Amino acid sequence: MTDATRNAAFDLLTAVFERARPLEEALDALGPMEARDRAAGHRLAAAVLRRAGTLDAVLEPFLKKAPPAPVRSILRLGAAGLLLLDTPAHAAVATAVGLARARGLAPFAGLVNAVLRRVAEAGPAALEGLDSPRLDTPSWLWTAWGRDARAIAEAHQHEAPLDLTLAPGAAAPPGGTELPTGSWRYPPGTRVAELAGFAEGAFWVQDAAAALPARLLDARPGEAVADLCAAPGGKTAQLAAAGARVVAVERDAGRLVRLRENLARLRLEAETVCADAAAWQPPAPLDAVLLDAPCSATGTIRRHPDVAHLKRPRDVDLLAAGQDRLLDAACAMLRPGGRLVYAVCSLQPQEGAERVRAALQRLPLRSDPFTPAELAGVTAARTGEGWLRTTPALWPELGGMDGFFAARLHRT
Ligand code: SAM
């Protein structure tokens, strides 16, 4: 591990913990550096974010009082190196002390040295007896996940693999495994741009669970379909690949540029519109709508461990209100008999089943349950109402999947 890696990881942790910035945004804001160092810094910061509660529990007995936030980040980085990443003890301690000095925290260099030497002496035994899944999960999420909480939190301890959706007729790059739902999986840390066929548009990155909602909409050639909240376009690509006439609606102009670039790489076509999907109206009623609503993204914590630190219960309340507005708008876009798939990458019932139950009360919609055959490979994710609720604890032997909720509704 280089100093550049540790410096990048420190900057990323500072952005998340002290400025409440999303990790991806902080990555974009890092100065110019080698791609390798950037990727390694990202992985190191993600390891700390994933296991912050556990690392704090290890450090706690060696601290007389809570250290300032930047010092805590350095201690967490050092402890992660020692206990999670097998960094040699001398190097982990010395580089943490060096980082403290370099970041204007020289008065704390002695503390960093003393605490990390104690952690190094304890070694892996420091982790024994700790309930890591519980320590690494904020209490409000643990409560909201109910009896699934422990299994979900255990799955969050591990880095997620890379999943791809293949373009029609394309071959999978070497080194992957085909999953029961047809996605292809590669080991954690795989760099997508280095896989064979990337530039030629043979595939796009999409978690196995994220690939399900568009498939369950079952768009047919020539159908008029809207993909609402569309960037970066994974689901737009699926709908276009199915032969539908797709309009992708996205309100963030910068993200819409990325969507267009992705479609161009994949040689797929869709009309793109920069608009608020809650206000946009199609020129004529649509056959089908995919609403991948903005959500708390708690289903993606294993890919984005910052989410567990940044989201609050109040965010879920506000997002739920927005989801209702988008459901109202999506319903109004459909012709009678037209279908809507509502999806969120959230594990919170408030953003999933509760939104759909409320929409069924309020809007001219009826539920069209997914059949077990449609959910082949993920039948355990079928809810009593015939909706889909995947969690990271599904497919434990294959490396899990993101948490997603999806329901299919028909306009009456
Ligand atoms: N469907 C995308 C895919 O599969 O690649 C992922 C969508 S992601 C959940 C959220 C996206 O919705 C962001 O790009 C965000 O800018 C966009 N968004 C959020 N609120 C929106 C709104 N009211 N109208 C249109 N787009 C919105």
Side-chain angles (χ1 to χ4, degrees):
M1 198 185 297
T2 65
D3 279 349
T5 298
R6 258 182 225 92
N7 268 307
F10 177 80
D11 288 337
L12 295 173
L13 293 179
T14 303
V16 174
F17 286 122
E18 296 177 48
R19 296 202 294 277
R21 311 309 306 170
L23 183 58
E24 292 288 332
E25 196 181 301
L27 258 180
D28 289 343
L30 284 179
M33 63 193 302
E34 296 277 338
R36 192 174 297 272
D37 288 328
R38 177 189 299 268
H42 182 193
R43 282 186 100 183
L44 176 57
V48 170
L49 290 164
R50 189 173 295 122
R51 305 296 302 278
T54 297
L55 295 172
D56 286 353
V58 167
L59 293 165
E60 177 67 30
F62 307 128
L63 293 166
K64 288 203 192 70
K65 58 178 185 175
V71 177
R72 184 176 289 283
S73 286
I74 292 173
L75 289 170
R76 285 168 166 169
L77 282 167
L82 288 166
L83 303 178
L84 307 176
L85 305 168
D86 294 328
T87 311
H90 173 75
V93 178
T95 53
V97 170
L99 188 56
R101 293 215 172 91
R103 296 307 182 114
L105 299 165
F108 294 93
L111 174 83
V112 168
N113 183 49
V115 169
L116 290 180
R117 285 172 79 123
R118 303 277 303 271
V119 175
E121 278 159 26
L127 296 172
E128 277 170 22
L130 294 180
D131 184 357
S132 279
R134 179 67 193 87
L135 287 166
D136 295 329
T137 307
S139 293
W140 72 278
L141 289 175
W142 188 272
T143 306
W145 297 340
R147 59 190 159 83
D148 298 332
R150 180 161 294 279
I152 292 170
E154 275 168 6
H156 284 165
Q157 300 275 293
H158 309 289
E159 206 178 340
L162 174 78
D163 290 352
L164 305 181
T165 298
L166 299 187
T177 333
E178 188 172 12
L179 294 168
T181 51
S183 294
W184 280 75
R185 178 156 287 183
Y186 296 79
T190 301
R191 298 225 246 143
V192 63
E194 291 172 8
L195 290 175
F198 176 78
E200 295 75 26
F203 55 79
W204 57 97
V205 174
Q206 191 172 43
D207 181 88
L212 299 173
R215 209 174 294 155
L216 292 165
L217 187 68
D218 190 23
R220 288 152 220 159
E223 276 192 324
V225 178
D227 180 16
L228 306 181
C229 310
K235 298 179 185 69
T236 310
Q238 286 177 286
L239 299 171
R245 288 185 289 122
V246 187
V247 49
V249 184
E250 164 61 48
R251 80 171 167 199
D252 182 315
R255 288 176 61 88
L256 196 59
V257 170
R258 267 185 64 202
L259 178 146
R260 289 197 196 104
E261 287 168 358
N262 285 335
L263 290 179
R265 179 178 66 83
L266 297 168
R267 297 180 186 84
L268 291 169
E269 285 192 11
E271 185 187 335
T272 57
V273 175
C274 191
D276 176 356
W280 177 79
Q281 289 177 338
L286 299 169
D287 297 308
V289 171
L290 179 60
L291 169 54
D292 188 21
C295 67
S296 60
T298 52
T300 70
I301 285 176
R302 58 192 204 128
R303 294 187 188 284
H304 303 289
D306 53 313
V307 167
H309 299 281
L310 296 177
K311 288 292 189 299
R312 300 281 178 266
R314 171 99 184 105
D315 298 319
V316 178
D317 295 338
L318 292 173
L319 287 158
Q323 289 150 5
D324 285 346
R325 279 194 296 277
L326 286 163
L327 274 160
D328 291 348
C331 174
M333 295 174 196
L334 289 171
R335 64 166 168 77
R339 60 203 189 280
L340 163 66
V341 165
Y342 170 77
V344 278
C345 57
S346 167
L347 289 164
Q348 313 314 111
Q350 199 187 338
E351 297 181 272
E354 288 180 27
R355 297 281 55 74
V356 173
R357 284 190 206 113
L360 288 169
Q361 294 280 320
R362 182 175 78 243
L363 299 168
L365 293 171
R366 70 171 172 82
S367 179
D368 176 20
F370 302 126
T371 64
E374 284 179 297
L375 299 185
V378 284
T379 42
R382 190 172 183 270
T383 72
E385 283 145 310
W387 301 332
L388 175 79
R389 183 175 186 257
T390 64
T391 81
L394 273 171
W395 289 354
E397 70 293 352
L398 296 173
M401 61 170 68
D402 283 358
F404 250 88
F405 172 87
R408 189 172 50 206
L409 310 164
H410 277 228
R411 170 103 195 226
T412 54

